[in-house]
């Protein structure tokens, strides 16, 4: 399915999310080619304005996160994650991605995983004026150790749920046979 298409079982799409970000930024009149890449053109059009602003309005946070999660290309979801990290802080961005992982659809969970990688982008004072006044940034915006723990816990839960739903099989557990050696995968029912 092309990224611009939408089915009745898929209420949100990358195009809808990118369109909302563009609307909130006031980016209009984007030249669109008729090649089924409208969402990517919108994403490209908002990339620079997102990074050039010293701050982003609060109403842009959720649409940015949705666009990052719905972006099907792991190389480009950074276009939405990076400005969100600069403007709203790594902690808040990662917390939103944990929420997608905990409560999202399978497609949203996959998008959250793609965006999670981008949320670790290194921050530089000269990259965006949203970094902080005079190149100083409140460290609390980016403190994320507990959020990373929440991500790991949610990931384990999602993996366990997926393992139990595959053909009604019991979840697989890993046991270390010897320190430093490969993992042996055994069913919980195995001795």
């Amino acid at each position: 399915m092309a990224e611009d298409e939408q089915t009745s079982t898929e209420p949100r799409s990358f195009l809808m999310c990118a369109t909302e970000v563009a609307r909130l930024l006031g980016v209009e009149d984007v030249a669109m080619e008729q090649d089924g890449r409208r969402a990517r053109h919108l994403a490209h059009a908002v990339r620079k304005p997102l990074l050039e602003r010293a701050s982003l309005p609060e109403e842009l946070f959720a649409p940015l996160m949705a666009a990052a999660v719905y972006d099907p290309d792991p190389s480009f979801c950074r276009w939405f994650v990076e400005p969100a990290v600069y403007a709203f802080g790594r902690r808040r961005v990662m917390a939103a991605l944990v929420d997608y992982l905990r409560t999202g659809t399978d497609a949203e969970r996959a998008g959250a995983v793609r965006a999670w990688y981008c949320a670790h982008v290194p921050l530089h004072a000269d990259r965006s004026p949203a970094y902080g006044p005079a190149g100083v940034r409140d460290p609390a915006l980016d403190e994320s150790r507990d959020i990373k723990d929440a991500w790991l816990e949610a990931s384990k839960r999602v993996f366990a749920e997926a393992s139990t739903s595959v053909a009604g099989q019991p979840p697989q557990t890993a046991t270390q046979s010897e320190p430093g050696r490969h993992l042996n995968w055994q069913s919980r029912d195995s001795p």
Side-chain angles (χ1 to χ4, degrees), residues 96-124:
L97 295 174
V98 169
D99 287 341
Y100 271 106
L101 186 64
R102 285 180 177 151
T103 63
T105 64
D106 288 346
E108 289 170 336
R109 287 174 171 175
V113 170
R114 289 188 300 268
W116 181 260
Y117 175 80
C118 297
H120 294 82
V121 62
L123 301 178
H124 303 285

Side-chain angles (χ1 to χ4, degrees), residues 129-150:
Y131 180 85
V136 178
R137 185 170 175 86
D138 179 2
L141 287 171
D142 301 314
E143 174 52 47
S144 57
R145 278 179 256 165
D146 60 324
I147 304 296
K148 289 177 183 177
D149 291 342

